[in-house]
Amino acid sequence: MPSFWSDVHGVRLRSVGLPGLGDTVKVHACDRDARRLEVSCHRDGRLIGALTIGRTSRLAAYRRTLAEHSPEGCPVSAPGTPATGARRRTPRPRWRRAWSC
């Protein structure tokens, strides 16, 4: 199942599924002061992805729901990607020099 995370300006952004393919977006929680957001994306009324900012614990429930209700051949499971287990890791750059501006 496609997923990603990133730390941006002190908040953790996480996504699971394919939220970009959704035709409907539902905002479940939005707290600007606490810098938290929880959004689910749906296509034809079916959950297709989710995005959270500062609410990493909520993403596990979306991942489970997507895995349980994803039919074989559904775009939420990318072709050639193992459903569980091994992850493909991207090598990190090995920069040792500290950059200053």
Side-chain angles (χ1 to χ4, degrees):
M1 174 157 330
S3 63
F4 78 89
W5 66 268
S6 180
D7 290 327
V8 181
H9 300 289
V11 295
R12 179 155 288 171
L13 174 92
R14 296 189 112 183
S15 174
V16 66
L18 298 170
L21 296 180
D23 56 16
T24 306
V25 175
K26 295 180 183 176
V27 178
H28 300 281
C30 180
D31 184 349
R32 289 183 183 196
D33 295 331
R35 295 167 56 168
R36 293 178 176 232
L37 177 68
E38 179 183 341
V39 174
S40 64
C41 301
H42 304 263
R43 184 178 197 138
D44 300 326
R46 187 174 57 84
L47 180 68
I48 191 119
L51 175 87
T52 62
I53 297 175
R55 296 185 56 104
T56 57
S57 62
R58 291 292 303 140
L59 211 62
Y62 287 110
R63 183 184 300 275
R64 250 188 328 273
T65 303
L66 285 166
E68 290 170 1
H69 296 99
S70 157
E72 195 64 36
C74 176
V76 173
S77 300
T81 306
T84 58
R87 283 186 176 176
R88 201 181 299 158
R89 296 203 180 255
T90 306
R92 293 181 181 221
R94 299 192 183 268
W95 295 312
R96 298 287 182 209
R97 182 176 176 186
W99 296 93
S100 61
C101 298

